[in-house]
Amino acid sequence: MLELCVCIGSSCHIKGSYNVIQTFQQLIEEKMLHDRINFKSSFCQKQCQHPGVAVSVNGVIHQVTAETAGEFFTREVFPKA
Ligand code: FES
């Protein structure tokens, strides 16, 4: 099962982690991936210095914004789920 984790620490919260989570949740529902993705949130992943929200896919950390969340999911999450 793929592990998808969005940081909800204060820096990532300010950068839009709520919107990223909303987008991911919607896509997981649309594509009926509940049983293939373990969707979690975490506190600070020590990536605050980067411009986007810290999102890890199977432990690999990426930077995502509210604007790129849909495209990121299609490119990095969906093919691995
Ligand atoms: S708050 Fe998200 S990486 Fe620090």
Side-chain angles (χ1 to χ4, degrees):
M1 181 177 284
L2 182 134
E3 189 181 286
L4 176 63
C5 184
V6 178
C7 178
I8 53 165
S10 49
S11 174
C12 287
H13 177 74
I14 290 165
K15 293 176 203 159
S17 57
Y18 177 78
N19 292 321
V20 172
I21 288 170
Q22 292 287 98
T23 300
F24 287 174
Q25 262 170 355
Q26 195 181 331
L27 287 165
I28 287 169
E29 237 163 77
E30 261 176 43
K31 298 180 187 297
M32 293 184 284
L33 295 169
H34 291 103
D35 54 348
R36 288 157 61 185
I37 295 178
N38 180 15
F39 188 30
K40 307 195 299 186
S41 56
S42 76
F43 293 114
C44 181
Q45 297 188 19
K46 307 211 185 312
Q47 302 295 319
C48 303
Q49 73 274 24
H50 297 297
V53 174
V55 173
S56 70
V57 179
N58 284 339
V60 179
I61 299 178
H62 304 262
Q63 302 296 318
V64 180
T65 64
E67 291 72 33
T68 61
E71 182 262 333
F72 174 82
F73 190 94
T74 304
R75 178 169 40 90
E76 292 290 336
V77 181
F78 189 50
K80 296 174 186 157

